[in-house]
Amino acid sequence: MTTVTTPAQAAPGRRRGPSMADVAREANVSGQTVSRVSNGRDNVDPETRERVLEAMRKLGYRPNSAARALRSGRFHSIGVIMFTLSSFGNMRTLDAIAVAAADAGYSITLIPVPHPTQGEVSVAFDRLSEEAVDGVIIIVEAHLLDENDVVLPAGLPVVVVDSTARDRYPVVDTDQAHGARLATEHLLDLGHRTVWHVAGPERSYSATHRRESWEATLRAHGADVPPVLVGDWSSESGHELGLELAQNPEVTAVFAANDQMALGVLRAMHETGRAVPGEVSVVGFDDMEESRSFWPPLTTVRQFFGEVGRRSVEALLHEVESGERDDSTLVATELVVRESSAAPRG
């Protein structure tokens, strides 16, 4: 036998919360005025608005968000699908998204994806579609949404960060190619005959763009293209690959695809007695806060993660509110020169 307990049975004598009518009486205004204030409308004079807000605070009134959503057709919530919470760039971007969403009066619902596969992204999207969100920002850092396997339901605005989407959705990303070109040209301009590259994972969209730009820049300058060494973004992988590079006396310049792998390369060079920048110059990518405290302080490419996050929220809310998609956006990068790069000896 199944027993169903009604709210009245569960909490006999429980007092109801203050209603909109209670607020209207307290503020000596109409219920319609309270509704306008609750829904953030601007057609209420400031003095009346403050009186209504004061009545809400005094009575402990909380507007019913579900009822507001039914009336307005919006939930004021943004879904975020993100692969890996440990990535420096992802966390900085997520932080900026949360701030921009809050400034616009939206909350965020985060669905982490443990493995960047088509199936898991689709499952995460299905979960968010049940969470009553107005739109979704996807940060997967992989070649996923350019593959036909990922089919996202129509009708829900989507913005993609750090990936590609075959023009199906607006994309907001750092100008990866320009940043890699700045790093490579900096080392060539110092007089290095070529630049070795410690790349990120092959499935990473960012890593692919940085690697392709590094190679194209070398070819454009008539420089040899050394074999690529592939890491996994961690300082441990940078250290392991750095030990390999340190054994080669022809290596005088290394461009690592992120600052953490660059840190590992620096450690490997110190351990093997290769002076930086005396014998080997090292350049990273990201400009994480700690990079200026590496020894020596790291020359790197600065990404503006805050701008990427802010623009992704702007693009999504523009579509939510107008029904029109923004064009894709590239956020510029800049080279930050510090003491880890110099002209080659001799």
Side-chain angles (χ1 to χ4, degrees):
M1 177 179 177
T2 303
T3 302
V4 178
T5 304
T6 67
Q9 291 172 325
R14 180 180 176 182
R15 296 180 58 192
R16 66 175 177 84
S19 67
M20 189 177 292
D22 296 330
V23 175
R25 281 192 295 272
E26 178 69 27
N28 195 27
V29 297
S30 68
Q32 189 176 22
T33 299
V34 177
S35 176
R36 290 193 189 108
V37 174
S38 296
N39 287 288
R41 302 287 175 80
D42 56 9
N43 56 343
V44 180
D45 69 80
E47 183 179 342
T48 302
R49 180 185 303 277
E50 183 54 40
R51 195 162 74 249
V52 172
L53 292 174
E54 177 59 31
M56 288 180 178
R57 287 191 288 267
K58 179 178 178 181
L59 298 175
Y61 174 76
R62 297 291 182 269
N64 187 321
S65 58
R68 280 188 307 178
L70 287 173
R71 290 193 299 270
S72 66
R74 295 206 195 130
F75 299 97
H76 285 84
S77 179
I78 294 172
V80 179
I81 298 172
M82 188 168 76
F83 165 60
T84 181
L85 297 175
S86 61
S87 163
F88 168 74
N90 282 0
M91 290 307 298
R92 289 290 303 276
T93 302
L94 177 63
D95 181 66
I97 288 172
V99 170
D103 288 344
Y106 282 71
S107 61
I108 67 168
T109 299
L110 174 65
I111 305 290
V113 177
H115 306 288
T117 64
Q118 291 90 345
E120 294 207 5
V121 171
S122 298
V123 168
F125 196 90
D126 289 341
R127 286 179 58 191
L128 278 177
S129 67
E130 298 172 356
E131 293 286 341
V133 297
D134 296 302
V136 177
I137 297 174
I138 301 179
I139 313 172
V140 292
E141 197 186 272
H143 300 276
L144 288 179
L145 297 179
D146 58 349
E147 301 181 26
N148 293 326
D149 306 32
V150 179
V151 179
L152 303 181
L156 192 61
V158 172
V159 170
V160 177
V161 176
D162 202 11
S163 187
T164 183
R166 281 190 179 174
D167 299 324
R168 286 183 288 170
Y169 311 105
V171 174
V172 180
D173 192 16
T174 296
D175 194 341
Q176 312 286 348
H178 181 246
R181 183 168 71 251
L182 289 175
T184 308
E185 286 183 340
H186 168 67
L187 292 166
L188 293 175
D189 290 345
L190 287 172
H192 295 276
R193 295 178 60 186
T194 191
V195 178
W196 293 69
H197 185 44
V198 176
E202 293 181 354
R203 284 189 61 80
S204 167
Y205 182 78
S206 300
T208 298
H209 273 244
R210 295 171 199 177
R211 182 175 64 249
E212 290 175 347
S213 180
W214 158 79
E215 181 176 347
T217 303
L218 290 180
R219 294 191 187 282
H221 285 76
D224 292 336
V225 180
V228 176
L229 289 77
V230 179
D232 63 7
W233 296 130
S234 69
S235 57
E236 290 79 7
S237 70
H239 176 249
E240 181 179 342
L241 297 173
L243 290 174
E244 182 178 336
L245 289 170
Q247 303 307 314
N248 185 347
E250 295 184 2
V251 174
T252 66
V254 179
F255 164 42
N258 75 336
D259 288 352
Q260 288 171 308
M261 291 194 297
L263 175 60
V265 172
L266 287 175
R267 176 187 165 197
M269 295 301 166
H270 295 325
E271 289 176 347
T272 55
R274 303 283 309 269
V276 179
E279 295 180 63
V280 181
S281 290
V282 179
V283 174
F285 202 110
D286 280 343
D287 194 31
M288 55 192 295
E289 287 86 347
E290 295 83 359
S291 62
R292 70 189 66 192
S293 298
F294 290 0
W295 187 253
L298 183 67
T299 296
T300 186
V301 176
R302 177 174 294 162
Q303 294 197 78
F304 296 94
F305 298 108
E307 187 70 5
V308 171
R310 184 182 65 80
R311 292 200 185 188
S312 65
V313 171
E314 285 182 353
L316 187 69
L317 295 186
H318 178 259
E319 184 172 351
V320 167
E321 294 168 3
S322 71
E324 299 176 356
R325 288 182 179 174
D326 273 355
D327 294 330
S328 292
T329 302
L330 279 181
V331 176
T333 53
E334 67 180 30
L335 182 71
V336 180
V337 179
R338 298 192 181 101
E339 288 83 354
S340 67
S341 57
R345 246 180 219 173

